Every structure is written in C-alpha cells, then in structure tokens.
Amino acid sequence: MEPPVSYRSPTYYELAAPPELDWRLHRGEDYRAYRREWEERPRRQEAGSFPLHLDLDPTNRCNLSCRMCPRTWYLQEGRREWNPTGRPGDMSFTFFQRLIDESASRGLKSVKLNFLGEPLLHPRLVDMVATAARAGLWVMINTNATLLTREMSARLLEAGLTDIFFSFDSPYAAEYEKIRLGARFDQTLANIQGFMEAKEALGHQAVQTRASMVLPETAGPDEAEKIKADYLKLFRDLKVAEIGFGLPTVMGRDYEKTYGLWPGFVCPDLFRRMFVFWDGPASPCCGDWERRLIMGQAQEGTPLADIWQSPAYQKLRRAHVAGQYETVPACRSCSVPYLSTT
C-alpha cells in the first residue's frame, strides 16, 4: 500500500514519512505554529507585514545540465532573461548577511538557499547556513548532491541546517545519468547515504530529509506507478523521510494558450514567500525565471519589508484575489494552475 500523501500542490505531491523517520516529532511548538501560519495566510489572503519565508539564490552556477531544468533550456536556446548579466555569479556574503539581519528582526521563520544554481558551489554556503541558523531561522537547501561529501554533510549539519532536499530524478542508473547530465548515479547515491549516516551519527533527528524527482512526461499510468514504487524503495532503504514527485513544466509552452484559463486560481505564495536572486532583484514566484515579476531591487538597499508591501506587490495580489490572474502575463502563462496530479 502506498504511504499517505502529506502534501499536495498542482505540480507536486509528497509521501508522508513513516513514524520511525518522522522528524516533526523532534520539533517544537514554534515550528508547528509557523506551519499553521504558512497554510492560513493564503486561506485568509493576508500577506502580513513580512514574508514567512525567503528563497535566496546563493549562486546561478551549476555543475550539471539537467534535461528538464529551466537553466539548461535557456542556455541551449541562447536566451539571457534568466541571467541578464550573461555571467556566472554568487550572492555576496555581505548582502546575504544584510538580508538575514533585516528578515530575522521582522519575523521571518525560514530560508531556503537555492533557485537556479547548485548551492554547494557557493564557497561560503556553510557560513550562510550558520548565519541564518544563529538568527533563529529554519534553514533549508535544495541540492543535486553531487558535491555533498561526508565532510560537507557534517559541516552543514553542525552549522544548523534543518532541511535538505535531494533532487534525484530516477531510480534507474541509466535513466538518471541521461537526465542529470554530468552526474554519476552510484556516486551521488553514496553521497546521500553519507549525509544520512552523518545525520544519524551526529544525532540530528529533527533534520528533515527529502528525495524528489520529476516524473517523465511520457510515462503512462502503469509505468509511472512502477517508477514511484522503485523510487520509494530506493530512498526509504536509505531512511530518507519524505519522498516527492513533481510534474514537468514544458519550457517554452504558454500554458494559457494551450489549456485556457483556470478560473479561481489564486497563487498561495503571494501571501507567504519571496524570492531574492543572487544579484538582488526580488520576485514573488518560483517560476519567474525570466524576471518578469520583479517587485524591487534588494541589492540597491531597498528593505525587503518595503518590497513586500510595495504597490506592485499589492497590485499583483489584488489581481489574483479578484480572480483576474490572467491580467498578469507571467501568471497567465505559468504551468502551476494547469498541472494536476489527479
């Protein structure tokens, strides 16, 4: 029997951890209150005075060329929207510190270090984790795990990392290496195993671990079920707690033109989450790869609180609440309203 679903969105669903791997049991009421607010803000359609969560992009560099990744697609197409400077770049540590200092003082609860690059390429990632943890935040990273040595695993854990999400896109070696170009299946899996062993040895029971993959767009129902079953076994054998499956966004597709409008769609992240790219622009959207929804320039010294409450952000929220998300071109063409796991 498939484990119960613990989280579902239009593009993603996650299988719940079994009791023996349930990291939530080792977290306190402060975490539960934060997650209640995470769910309630979109229901109330209230943004509050500051986001609950920040996604900060440590670097736009990556060591892989994954087939389904927007970054890979833009590079192959010779397009620069995702990276207007045309050069690789890392978020400066001074800028990162300023963002954390302001955000912690305004009630931020969590930060995730990832957007279109591989965070482990940032030379000061461990310092970033430690800085955010000292500020009292839940600190998360997404990683392809190819650079996750046992030493790095221990350093991240001791620095205060609370959540790590492994992107690993097939339970089958040959298929994985076709998708994640530049990665080796056995080595990456060994890295994840090393992290799990370090986590256990250091006693970090409250650290959330998750492995997730993008399901092949061409997989039929029976094939998809076999992939999911094999993937679940692979990572539960390693004692990874959460197992996630996403649906692919087809790059270059305008979803509204393909499928029509999705009446009543209101993006929940407008009320709880903000993204800051490595070079400073702030956006409300995990899919704003082309920087069409820039709400402000944090690098220029604009406080994040001012950006969160800016006229541009308020106008965007009003459009969604009024059932008029289609008036915003970036939202109208987005995949999120249209993909479904049902």
Side-chain angles (χ1 to χ4, degrees):
M1 179 180 295
E2 186 176 87
V5 172
S6 64
Y7 175 76
R8 185 183 293 274
S9 77
T11 61
Y12 176 82
Y13 73 100
E14 191 169 280
L15 302 179
E20 66 273 16
L21 300 179
D22 194 348
W23 46 274
R24 297 172 187 82
L25 300 176
H26 304 281
R27 296 192 179 182
E29 177 56 30
D30 57 340
Y31 178 78
R32 290 186 282 275
Y34 152 53
R35 295 308 295 181
R36 286 195 295 271
E37 184 70 6
W38 177 266
E39 297 297 332
E40 283 300 319
R41 277 199 186 187
R43 292 192 187 111
R44 299 193 305 262
Q45 296 180 342
E46 295 176 0
S49 61
F50 203 80
L52 290 170
H53 173 87
L54 283 180
D55 290 82
L56 302 182
D57 191 18
T59 181
N60 71 354
R61 296 182 292 132
C62 191
N63 60 326
L64 302 183
S65 298
C66 303
R67 286 193 323 205
M68 70 296 182
C69 180
R71 185 182 186 279
T72 302
W73 185 82
Y74 282 111
L75 286 170
Q76 290 174 342
E77 294 291 312
R79 295 174 57 170
R80 294 265 296 268
E81 297 96 328
W82 73 284
N83 182 26
T85 67
R87 62 180 175 84
D90 296 340
M91 179 177 284
S92 79
F93 189 69
T94 300
F95 179 43
F96 176 82
Q97 283 185 305
R98 177 167 69 78
L99 295 178
I100 295 299
D101 289 345
E102 177 198 352
S103 301
S105 70
R106 297 302 299 259
L108 188 75
K109 302 301 181 185
S110 64
V111 61
K112 181 153 73 75
L113 305 178
N114 171 253
F115 186 59
L116 279 179
E118 168 50 50
L120 288 172
L121 286 169
H122 196 289
R124 299 196 64 180
L125 181 67
V126 174
D127 294 330
M128 288 178 161
V129 171
T131 297
R134 283 195 298 269
L137 305 178
W138 304 100
V139 190
M140 315 168 186
I141 65 169
N142 274 80
T143 177
N144 61 39
T146 58
L147 305 174
L148 190 64
T149 64
R150 179 66 179 260
E151 178 188 2
M152 176 57 73
S153 295
R155 291 178 64 202
L156 288 169
L157 287 163
E158 293 297 84
L161 186 71
T162 58
D163 306 77
I164 187 167
F165 310 134
F166 308 116
S167 297
F168 195 98
D169 281 285
S170 178
Y172 315 123
E175 185 63 21
Y176 169 87
E177 291 176 4
K178 287 180 185 176
I179 295 169
R180 295 210 159 247
L181 298 177
R184 289 173 47 214
F185 181 91
D186 291 341
Q187 182 59 61
T188 309
L189 204 60
N191 291 348
I192 295 172
Q193 181 176 0
F195 182 92
M196 300 306 298
E197 290 171 352
K199 172 182 169 294
E200 183 172 355
L202 294 169
H204 289 281
Q205 293 176 298
V207 170
Q208 177 187 185
T209 57
R210 184 183 75 203
S212 60
M213 68 170 291
V214 176
L215 290 167
E217 186 183 30
T218 57
D222 292 342
E223 182 185 0
E225 288 306 310
K226 183 179 188 312
I227 292 170
K228 289 190 287 185
D230 291 343
Y231 193 85
L232 178 65
K233 182 179 188 310
L234 179 67
F235 283 101
R236 283 288 164 75
D237 285 350
L238 293 178
K239 299 184 179 179
V240 173
E242 313 286 347
I243 311 296
F245 300 99
L247 296 177
T249 292
V250 179
M251 296 304 301
R253 175 181 290 173
D254 184 317
Y255 276 77
E256 186 272 332
K257 288 182 178 178
T258 305
Y259 298 110
L261 295 176
W262 191 266
F265 174 72
V266 179
C267 182
D269 284 345
L270 295 176
F271 305 96
R272 62 194 185 188
R273 183 179 191 180
M274 182 160 62
F275 295 75
V276 181
F277 305 145
W278 71 273
D279 52 343
S283 170
C285 179
C286 64
D288 191 20
W289 308 303
E290 297 185 5
R291 302 189 177 202
R292 292 193 286 174
L293 293 174
I294 299 305
M295 300 288 109
Q297 298 289 340
Q299 181 71 287
E300 296 175 359
T302 305
L304 294 182
D306 290 354
I307 296 174
W308 185 247
Q309 299 174 54
S310 67
Y313 234 130
Q314 293 181 36
K315 180 180 178 181
L316 180 60
R317 293 187 188 109
R318 285 197 300 269
H320 276 249
V321 170
Q324 298 173 346
Y325 81 91
E326 73 276 5
T327 64
V328 183
C331 299
R332 185 174 63 242
S333 61
C334 177
S335 66
V336 171
Y338 306 98
L339 296 181
S340 173
T341 56
T342 58

